[in-house]
Amino acid sequence: MFSVTENPIRIGIVPTLEFCGLAVWKYADDNLTHLLTASGSELSANLRLDNQILQLKSTGSEMSSRQTKPPSSLTFQNSDGSIITTLQADWKIQHPGTSYGWVTDNATLKVIQGNQTTELSVFASFGCQFLFY
């Protein structure tokens, strides 16, 4: 005499993580001192300005890991709108065969603080990944 116990098949929902990141620096050989870094689908950013680190938020649309091209410009501002920064770039694909990573060596980072505007020629890297487990 024997018995058979059947366990029902369980189907789980696979957690996913969407991540977009942006790094901007002034000199191509200085990958450590980022002037602007941004991450996440809503792109919260940190701006290094006069030896301060300021927290900014994107004023544009959210970035999606499924996008097939980088935005032509990215704009961020602090909570009271007194500092606005815009990155305009001509992006190229970072690695052949991928559509989720771009770099540029001829971008412009414009920072508006009150009535003062500063424009810098910068290097930047932008990318998105879609991770699943």
Side-chain angles (χ1 to χ4, degrees), residues 24-83:
V24 178
W25 54 93
K26 188 171 181 181
Y27 304 107
D29 58 354
D30 182 16
N31 291 330
L32 296 177
T33 310
H34 291 162
L35 297 176
L36 178 73
T37 57
S39 62
S41 61
E42 295 180 1
L43 287 185
S44 58
N46 291 323
L47 173 69
R48 184 183 300 273
L49 183 66
D50 296 330
N51 296 321
Q52 301 178 72
I53 302 295
L54 304 175
Q55 292 186 333
L56 311 175
K57 289 286 186 184
S58 171
T59 59
S61 61
E62 292 184 4
M63 297 293 109
S64 168
S65 65
R66 295 171 188 85
Q67 68 190 65
T68 57
K69 62 180 180 177
S72 58
S73 67
L74 290 163
T75 301
F76 305 91
Q77 68 180 23
N78 62 347
S79 58
D80 63 5
S82 61
I83 296 175

Side-chain angles (χ1 to χ4, degrees), residues 14-19 65 129-133:
V14 177
T16 60
L17 169 66
E18 292 186 32
F19 179 84
S65 65
Q129 294 178 338
F130 182 61
L131 305 177
F132 57 92
Y133 303 95

Side-chain angles (χ1 to χ4, degrees), residues 16 21 26-27 77 95 105 109 114 116 118 120 124 127 133:
T16 60
K26 188 171 181 181
Y27 304 107
Q77 68 180 23
H95 301 293
D105 57 4
L109 182 67
Q116 181 179 358
T118 303
L120 297 171
Y133 303 95

Side-chain angles (χ1 to χ4, degrees), residues 100-115:
Y100 300 121
W102 301 272
V103 293
T104 181
D105 57 4
N106 61 352
T108 300
L109 182 67
K110 184 191 318 186
V111 180
I112 300 172
Q113 186 177 18
N115 59 359

